Amino acid sequence: MLTSSKPSLEEIELVAGLKQKNRRSFESLYQNYSPALYGLCLKVLKAEEWAQEALQDSFVKIWRKIDTYDESKGRLFTWILNIARNTAIDKLRSRAYQDHQQGQALENTRMAATENSYLVVEHIGLDSLVARLAPEHRQVIEAIYFGGLSHVEAAQKLDLPLGTLKSRVKIALRELRKLT
Amino acid sequence: MNLKNYLESGIIENYVLGAATPEEAQELERLSQQYPEIRREIEANQFALMEYILECRQEPPLELRDKVIKKLAALEEEDLLAAPVEAKPLTVAYKARWGSLKPLLAVAASLLLLVSMGLNLWLYQNWQKAESALRTSLLGNQQFAQQTSLQRQQLAQATQELSVLKNPATRLVSLEGVKEHPEAQVRVYWNPQTQEVYLQVKNLPEPPTGKQYQLWFVDGQKVMDGGVFEMGDFAAQLQKMKTAPRADAFVVTLEKAGGVPVSEGDTYAVGKVS
């Protein structure tokens, strides 16, 4: 439903309703899209309370900016994913989040002996896209899309030459396209 | 514009992953309206990424739905309150018992209404001006912050380069062009202790589309991949390559973009570790 290049009739109606700030349209938007947006925020922020806040802020932004959404430039889903990603990444870079993470890191080292410190359990099967993508390709997508890093930052973090990172980004998306 | 080069430049992938600069994004959006190939390429990448994102989807907690809906309802109310209120001054004061004063009052009321409308307009314009000034200054702040962060990155890079060059253990290996490519000249800085390798292009022709230069470490009979490197704006910079534990020579060849595990292209420059 989401991944064809032409919007469905439902989507056209939904967009019209959203632009009129119709409450039912927003409810339906939440119903249909909040799991994708919430999953995205969780992946970026790795903490439920932060992801919830990001999700709520995203809907506020959608409400405020829906007038600027231009159907001719792309699908609604792409547009709202963008809003949610930007919202989550702004939070990720915020002072408050950094402080929170430091506190969390202390907490985690305290508990590290007993359990894995991953805050979010990802329920992803072995046959999933994510699992089938080679780790080095997954890594660059994670660092750049979900981590919001620039090429230079990502190259530093992954300890790769910038040239290698850049070509890896291209290959990663090409591989991803082959798998879908 | 060379469409094929543009499609392969990596800008589209960056844009889709949200890593393009605002200028790149703007240009790409403009070009995508012009060239259907670009638009198709963007969409194909976006849809692949969407599938990836969709796999990570997760139901938010139930109570969040009510919170969001309530928040939106509050925004709706705010919007309604902020809508311009029509000026209706003085109608309440108008009563029949003012009989003879009626025409006079009507004139006065009209005048007041006019004054009030004029005042509203003036206030509204001022408000607009202030808002646009605020927006401009916010934008300025943002640009300044971006610039600062860019400069900080450049400084960090320069500091790192300096520390590599200053390190007495770092060895300079000059790679000279082979017979077929006498103009080729590349410098490699190698620190056998930390095993770090940096490369700087002195002179190399820009590679054709789909090709990239690749560095190799030669250790006796073994040839190891040293990674590909960038040309264009990056050519003059020190580029960090893969680490080399041991090497008695370095070689640069022209290979398929992204690099190959075993060299299959032309050799351009060779340098022995002295």
Side-chain angles (χ1 to χ4, degrees), chain B residues 23-236:
Chain B
E23 294 79 32
E24 282 172 342
Q26 233 171 23
E27 197 198 359
L28 187 55
E29 277 163 16
R30 188 176 57 76
L31 289 172
S32 73
Q33 304 267 330
Q34 206 176 333
Y35 297 95
E37 297 90 335
I38 294 185
R39 181 168 183 152
R40 270 199 298 276
E41 192 67 14
I42 295 177
E43 280 174 355
N45 281 315
Q46 274 172 341
F47 294 149
L49 183 65
M50 267 183 210
E51 293 287 345
Y52 190 107
I53 298 167
L54 278 174
E55 273 195 0
C56 314
R57 67 178 173 265
Q58 210 154 332
E59 284 293 336
L62 268 181
E63 66 274 15
L64 192 60
R65 181 180 182 279
D66 286 346
K67 255 174 101 178
V68 171
I69 303 288
K70 260 193 207 138
K71 178 84 196 169
L72 295 184
L75 285 178
E76 193 177 4
E77 238 162 75
E78 252 174 57
D79 284 358
L80 283 177
L81 286 177
V85 182
E86 277 171 51
K88 284 191 199 159
L90 296 178
T91 45
V92 184
Y94 173 73
K95 289 270 158 69
R97 66 189 173 100
W98 292 94
S100 58
L101 284 177
K102 209 166 144 187
L104 193 66
L105 268 177
V107 171
S110 312
L111 274 175
L112 270 170
L113 180 62
L114 266 175
V115 170
S116 141
M117 277 163 61
L119 200 65
N120 278 347
L121 189 68
W122 182 74
L123 283 172
Y124 178 75
Q125 279 171 344
N126 269 347
W127 171 60
Q128 290 271 301
K129 260 190 247 163
E131 199 175 57
S132 105
L134 177 66
R135 213 172 296 141
T136 321
S137 92
L138 283 177
L139 204 66
N141 273 350
Q142 216 174 2
Q143 280 167 346
F144 180 69
Q146 274 170 1
Q147 240 167 24
T148 322
S149 122
L150 186 71
Q151 277 162 358
R152 207 175 303 143
Q153 270 175 18
Q154 285 169 341
L155 180 66
Q157 192 184 2
T159 316
Q160 198 194 5
E161 287 178 6
L162 195 63
S163 78
V164 172
L165 296 180
K166 261 175 46 187
N167 192 326
T170 298
R171 303 171 63 171
L172 164 66
V173 184
S174 281
L175 280 62
E176 301 295 334
V178 297
K179 203 164 63 202
E180 295 78 15
H181 305 285
E183 74 289 356
Q185 221 189 346
V186 176
R187 276 185 181 171
V188 166
Y189 298 91
W190 176 45
N191 184 333
Q193 284 166 14
T194 62
Q195 308 185 352
E196 280 176 311
V197 176
Y198 285 83
L199 176 145
Q200 187 179 30
V201 176
K202 283 286 159 193
N203 190 27
L204 271 182
E206 278 297 321
T209 316
K211 297 272 190 177
Q212 225 174 352
Y213 289 110
Q214 188 168 356
L215 179 71
W216 302 90
F217 313 139
V218 182
D219 173 27
Q221 295 301 308
K222 273 195 305 187
V223 179
M224 283 155 298
D225 168 27
V228 290
F229 55 89
E230 295 285 301
M231 291 292 292
D233 296 342
F234 288 95

Side-chain angles (χ1 to χ4, degrees), chain A residues 76-91:
Chain A
L76 177 69
F77 188 45
T78 317
W79 187 76
I80 61 172
L81 276 179
N82 238 335
I83 290 191
R85 175 188 180 256
N86 291 342
T87 308
I89 285 182
D90 282 347
K91 282 209 190 305

